[in-house]
Amino acid sequence: MKQTAAYYRSSTQLQEESVTTQQYEINQYALKKGILIDGEYPEPSVSARKNKLNERPQMRQLMTDIRNGKIGTLLVYKRDRLARKVEEHLELYKLFKTHQVELHFIAENEPPMRFDIFGELMELFIGVMNQREGEQINLRIADTKLSNFLRGKSIGNLPFGYSSDESHTKIIKDNEGLNIVKTIFTAWNTDQYANLEKLAQQLDKDGITRGKKNWTRNNISDVLTNPIYMGIRIANFDNRQVNRSVEDLAIITPEEFNLAQELIEKRKKPKKVKQKYDYLLSDLLLCDLCNKKPLSNNARMREGKTYATYECKEHNIRLDQHETESLVYLKTKSFFTELLNTHFDKLYTTQLKINLAEISKLKSIFEIELEQAEGKLVQATNMWIKKENKSNEEKILELSKKVKIIKDKLFELDVRKQEFIEVPKFIEEIEAEMLKKETWELLPFERKKALLKDLIQYILVDDYTTRIVFKHPYLEANEVVN
């Protein structure tokens, strides 16, 4: 038997709708309705705006229990307790609909959740409104914090050498600590230390400590890169960086600070740039020994140089990327040239006539079906409007889906028809881009890849051979079948 669960969430315990408040309201509702709550999923101090569904432990567990068929009824204070982002709101809606979960919302003016086409539209609208409300709340909080910071009312986290008074409203300078900071800047700016680690070792040797601990390279980096020591505080508010002048806290000059940054940059080790390779045959190369599994892309070392490969590690197959791609290009070029020089025009003309006739036949059938379905939809909708017959809603939804399916099929047939008609144009493009190697070499990578995929079905590889299976360009691969 499926269980009844309750879910509670609040961003902070200071919210009017705290987890405790939600829990009380939901339990009162359950008592009145005679509902027994089997399990609870409380999430205090968890933001639905900052944390995705799978990043919220209780929500993740609730969704898992629903998928496993454990939960049949769910009690929630309001929709926005479940999600603040519209895409996540709709994800939960589909989960509830798929597993037939009955929702109870406790707050006043919270409409019930309906699982039909009208309900889905309503949930989309509510999801958008909840997301916008969450963004507005966050913006107001950020603006308050920003205002306090600019007016000097927000102390925040203070670096080494500064502390706050008991009321946490005033910054106090620790002269002993700040003298150490001056020593660090002066020593570093002499440009005699190869890195911050060397400076940390020198401070240790001189007996200069950070409280009861020794200085580390990270501690020194935090000091040298913090602009508060030259009289500027920096804070980030919702991806907005704000500066505030605090000249009375300055112990070094801007020139000293900037010199320190230049030397840090100068001492940085250049990052090794990993060579990237463009693999033309990704998804086309398949291992014939392991049920046509795609070969992986890899890079190996040979005589001190890296080179790219296509590999099947299970069967110890390793192909040099450059050699394999060159071979495939030459084989594809040869196949295409032979095709054009033999029977292609005749085959295309015959196939075009057959396919266009088949498309015309199918379109006629679908157009009749569409006319009938649209007529039934209009009739069912009129009956529902006049009589407010709720049982007709399901029929309207079914007919709407049918109309959409038929229209999609007609659109697809038009696309296919255009593809067949434009085959000569595509053939001309391939001739111009592929038959001359010098032209082929100048093509962008994505264009080369697209051309090869147009002509090659797949490439089978085993211990000894590489076998290319070609498509019949724009004919057999695109043939219309009734």
Side-chain angles (χ1 to χ4, degrees), residues 7 9 43 45-61 63 85 88 91:
Y7 176 81
R9 183 193 66 79
E43 281 192 306
S45 304
V46 175
S47 169
R49 192 185 66 85
K50 294 179 181 178
N51 300 284
K52 297 178 182 177
L53 291 175
N54 61 4
E55 294 172 346
R56 293 151 53 188
Q58 291 295 312
M59 174 55 75
R60 186 171 62 243
Q61 185 60 54
M63 293 173 72
K85 297 176 182 176
E88 292 185 348
E91 181 182 343

Side-chain angles (χ1 to χ4, degrees), residues 103-138:
L103 269 292
H104 290 257
F105 296 111
I106 314 306
E108 292 182 9
N109 303 320
E110 195 77 12
M113 187 172 279
R114 294 173 48 173
F115 298 109
D116 52 28
I117 189 169
F118 304 101
E120 191 166 343
L121 288 171
M122 183 177 73
E123 294 304 326
L124 173 61
F125 175 75
I126 293 174
V128 170
M129 296 305 294
N130 283 341
Q131 177 170 318
R132 185 174 179 183
E133 181 187 16
E135 290 168 352
Q136 291 297 320
I137 290 171
N138 183 71

Side-chain angles (χ1 to χ4, degrees), residues 433-446:
E433 294 175 319
M434 196 167 205
L435 296 190
K436 290 184 179 180
K437 190 171 182 181
E438 56 270 26
T439 308
W440 170 259
E441 294 294 343
L442 295 174
L443 288 179
F445 168 76
E446 291 299 334

Side-chain angles (χ1 to χ4, degrees), residues 373-383 399:
E374 286 180 332
K376 289 179 181 178
L377 177 60
V378 170
Q379 186 179 9
T381 304
N382 287 334
M383 288 177 64
L399 287 167

Side-chain angles (χ1 to χ4, degrees), residues 2 71-73 95-102 115:
K2 290 189 175 183
I71 308 298
T73 304
L95 178 69
F96 300 147
K97 181 179 179 180
T98 301
H99 296 276
Q100 299 180 341
V101 178
E102 182 183 347
F115 298 109

Side-chain angles (χ1 to χ4, degrees), residues 78 191 261 265-266 277 297 353 377 394 415 432 434:
K78 288 171 64 178
D191 197 15
Q261 310 318 301
E265 220 33 60
K266 177 182 175 182
Y277 297 95
N297 304 331
K353 185 177 179 180
L377 177 60
E394 190 174 336
V415 171
M434 196 167 205

Side-chain angles (χ1 to χ4, degrees), residues 64-319:
T64 299
D65 290 343
I66 290 173
R67 291 190 187 101
N68 292 337
K70 185 178 175 181
I71 308 298
T73 304
L74 180 62
L75 280 66
V76 186
Y77 186 70
K78 288 171 64 178
R79 280 174 173 80
D80 61 17
R81 299 302 88 203
L82 293 169
R84 276 291 190 186
K85 297 176 182 176
V86 62
E87 64 271 17
E88 292 185 348
H89 181 83
L90 292 178
E91 181 182 343
L92 289 174
Y93 174 79
K94 289 175 183 176
L95 178 69
F96 300 147
K97 181 179 179 180
T98 301
H99 296 276
Q100 299 180 341
V101 178
E102 182 183 347
L103 269 292
H104 290 257
F105 296 111
I106 314 306
E108 292 182 9
N109 303 320
E110 195 77 12
M113 187 172 279
R114 294 173 48 173
F115 298 109
D116 52 28
I117 189 169
F118 304 101
E120 191 166 343
L121 288 171
M122 183 177 73
E123 294 304 326
L124 173 61
F125 175 75
I126 293 174
V128 170
M129 296 305 294
N130 283 341
Q131 177 170 318
R132 185 174 179 183
E133 181 187 16
E135 290 168 352
Q136 291 297 320
I137 290 171
N138 183 71
L139 188 60
R140 286 197 296 273
I141 293 172
D143 285 344
T144 301
K145 290 181 178 178
L146 173 60
S147 176
N148 289 338
F149 174 77
L150 292 174
R151 291 159 62 190
K153 289 188 175 183
S154 175
I155 298 297
N157 297 322
L158 296 171
F160 180 78
Y162 302 101
S163 61
S164 65
D165 60 4
E166 290 183 2
S167 61
H168 207 64
T169 57
K170 185 179 180 182
I171 299 176
I172 300 172
K173 296 165 73 173
D174 171 13
N175 291 326
E176 185 179 347
L178 292 176
N179 283 333
I180 295 174
V181 171
K182 289 180 183 178
T183 299
I184 290 173
F185 270 96
T186 301
W188 179 250
N189 286 351
T190 60
D191 197 15
Q192 61 179 319
Y193 295 98
N195 51 53
L196 298 178
E197 187 67 42
K198 296 291 185 184
L199 177 53
Q201 291 171 3
Q202 185 61 48
L203 293 173
D204 184 29
K205 190 183 294 184
D206 294 341
I208 299 174
T209 59
R210 192 176 184 273
K212 295 182 180 180
K213 297 180 180 179
N214 290 334
W215 284 88
T216 66
R217 65 176 306 280
N218 288 334
N219 297 149
I220 296 173
S221 176
D222 290 341
V223 165
L224 292 175
T225 57
N226 197 323
I228 192 173
Y229 298 113
M230 66 166 175
I232 295 175
R233 292 204 72 187
I234 295 177
N236 289 295
F237 296 93
D238 219 22
N239 297 321
R240 292 177 291 174
Q241 190 178 82
V242 181
N243 300 344
R244 182 168 72 89
S245 176
V246 283
E247 293 181 3
D248 55 319
L249 299 182
I251 60 166
I252 62 167
T253 66
E255 290 75 20
E256 289 174 309
F257 183 82
N258 292 334
L259 176 58
Q261 310 318 301
E262 290 175 12
L263 293 175
I264 289 172
E265 220 33 60
K266 177 182 175 182
R267 294 287 183 247
K268 279 183 180 177
K269 291 183 179 178
K271 290 183 179 179
K272 290 184 179 179
V273 180
K274 190 175 180 180
Q275 189 170 354
K276 292 184 179 180
Y277 297 95
D278 291 327
Y279 292 86
L280 271 180
L281 306 178
S282 293
D283 304 324
L284 286 177
L285 280 169
L286 311 176
C287 178
D288 203 15
L289 303 177
C290 53
N291 199 24
K292 297 184 179 179
K293 180 181 176 182
L295 271 64
S296 61
N297 304 331
N298 201 6
R300 293 186 172 271
M301 292 290 293
R302 181 169 56 199
E303 297 177 359
K305 295 182 179 179
T306 58
Y307 68 102
T309 61
Y310 294 102
E311 299 185 8
C312 173
K313 294 181 181 178
E314 186 177 345
H315 295 98
N316 200 29
I317 294 174
R318 187 185 305 165
L319 305 177

